[in-house]
Amino acid sequence: MPDPQWAIETMALRKEYGAKVAVSGLDLTVARGEVFGFLGPNGAGKTTSVKMLLGLVRPTSGRAFVLGRPIGRPESRRRIGFLPEHFRFHEWLRGDEFLDLHARLLHLPAAERRASIPRLLERVGLEEAAARTLGAYSKGMLQRIGLAQALLGHPEVVFLDEPTSGLDPVGRRMVRDVIHEASAAGITVFLNSHLLSEVELTCRRVAIISSGRVVHTTAIDEGIDGATAVEMTLGRLDDGLVEGLRRWSPRLEVDAERRLVTLYVGDHAALPEIARWVVGRGADLYSLATRRRTLEDLYVQLIHEGEE
């Protein structure tokens, strides 16, 4: 039975296309009202996973529930909003007509359509473009009208695939604010994006998928795995020094040209010990600086390890 606390729950979800395995065993839980990031390289299975959750593709095996019901059921699909990455909207429709069409497809009453469409147009900054045809919209404007479409009818779960693609920094900030407002109103947002900095600013948790399965899930608001990046500039680098540093951080990044070593530690108390050990080996330590570990650091590490 599905757990009522989860808006999305998958168990060993798998999709095969003949001999090709697109998703090999997806295990996910997304809480109600959560902004959840879904990351991975091209070909990792993200799009197929989303299509299965939307009921557009039938799984080969495994189970999944959206809003407490098996995926694909009409009663859960009507409570879902979706903005695909590659969309083609009706170029001959005006902005307000486009939203009205989709509102009618959702069977929204006329009074609700009249109230919600102007509000959504204003929220995505398109109230002055409401009477213009979509054929005259820029890529960024189409992205924003698509976001408004996904929020029609007060959905309980919204899937957004690259929602900030083609937007300038102001547009990305607006989308981020809309997502946070939706989450505050209890809407679950499932976000797929290659812009890791945007995901880090927007999401509460993220899952990283590789070769069709989740390889890591981490909470953003608690710091990326609680780790701190330590960057050291040294006078010289040798294999013994680099290998010795692995006692504090199994995963190291070495820039030989700049004589820069980056390691990740979970406790600041280790920093004096690291500095003493480096100097004790006779190496010149020119600088030691710390910074918060980023989502990009974690992503690159995990994908690199997967390739190895």
Side-chain angles (χ1 to χ4, degrees):
M1 292 294 293
D3 190 323
Q5 71 174 307
W6 307 122
I8 300 170
E9 186 177 10
T10 74
M11 289 150 282
L13 199 63
R14 182 180 180 88
K15 180 61 182 178
E16 300 172 0
Y17 293 101
K20 178 182 178 181
V21 178
V23 177
S24 58
L26 188 71
D27 294 301
L28 275 181
T29 52
V30 181
R32 293 177 182 264
E34 182 176 26
V35 182
F36 188 86
F38 195 52
L39 309 175
N42 292 333
K46 301 189 303 299
T47 298
T48 301
S49 297
V50 170
K51 286 181 177 180
M52 285 192 287
L53 293 173
L54 289 167
L56 301 176
V57 168
R58 187 186 300 273
T60 303
S61 61
R63 294 189 298 159
F65 301 90
V66 175
L67 299 172
R69 296 186 179 274
I71 52 176
R73 296 288 177 86
E75 54 268 35
S76 60
R77 291 181 67 175
R78 65 170 56 100
R79 294 146 66 192
I80 293 174
F82 177 43
L83 174 62
E85 177 183 7
H86 303 294
F87 51 77
R88 288 294 301 271
F89 295 148
H90 314 77
E91 296 183 352
W92 59 91
L93 291 179
R94 303 184 335 185
D96 52 2
E97 291 174 336
F98 168 74
L99 292 182
D100 187 67
L101 169 64
H102 282 266
R104 288 172 182 269
L105 292 172
L106 290 168
H107 303 290
L108 298 186
E112 184 175 348
R113 299 200 305 271
R114 287 193 297 269
S116 62
I117 290 174
R119 175 179 54 81
L120 285 169
L121 284 167
E122 180 180 4
R123 187 61 196 90
V124 298
L126 292 174
E127 66 273 23
E128 295 184 1
R132 293 165 57 184
T133 61
L134 298 188
Y137 277 29
S138 67
K139 175 65 162 60
M141 293 169 71
L142 289 171
Q143 200 79 26
R144 285 183 279 152
I145 198 75
L147 177 61
Q149 171 272 141
L151 293 171
L152 278 168
H154 308 288
E156 294 182 45
V157 177
V158 175
F159 290 86
L160 301 177
D161 197 352
E162 301 290 351
T164 56
S165 173
L167 297 181
D168 60 17
V170 174
R172 290 199 296 269
R173 175 68 175 269
M174 181 273 296
V175 170
R176 199 159 61 236
D177 290 344
V178 170
I179 290 173
H180 287 151
E181 289 172 8
S183 176
I187 298 173
T188 304
V189 180
F190 192 92
L191 177 63
N192 178 18
S193 176
H194 285 95
L195 296 175
L196 299 185
S197 59
E198 284 296 311
V199 172
E200 193 165 358
L201 288 170
T202 306
C203 297
R204 188 174 74 84
R205 284 194 309 137
V206 300
I208 298 174
I209 182 174
S210 180
S211 301
R213 67 173 62 243
V214 173
V215 295
H216 196 78
T217 302
T218 187
I220 299 292
D221 51 0
E222 298 172 1
I224 307 299
D225 286 355
T228 297
V230 181
E231 296 179 339
M232 295 187 297
T233 304
L234 304 168
R236 61 180 174 82
L237 292 177
D238 59 64
D239 292 341
L241 186 145
V242 171
E243 289 304 312
L245 287 171
R246 294 189 188 279
R247 74 179 71 173
W248 291 281
S249 174
R251 173 67 179 173
L252 298 177
E253 297 171 10
V254 179
D255 185 336
E257 184 176 349
R258 297 166 58 196
R259 302 190 307 278
L260 178 69
V261 177
T262 303
L263 57 157
Y264 301 96
V265 300
D267 187 355
H268 277 74
L271 300 183
E273 183 182 357
I274 294 171
R276 286 193 295 268
W277 182 84
V278 169
V279 173
R281 291 191 81 262
D284 294 324
L285 178 61
Y286 286 99
S287 69
L288 186 152
T290 62
R291 60 176 172 80
R292 179 177 174 271
R293 191 184 195 191
T294 66
L295 180 59
E296 182 178 351
D297 292 329
L298 177 63
Y299 179 88
V300 171
Q301 172 190 335
L302 291 170
I303 298 304
H304 178 75
E305 289 174 352
E307 291 174 348
E308 290 181 341

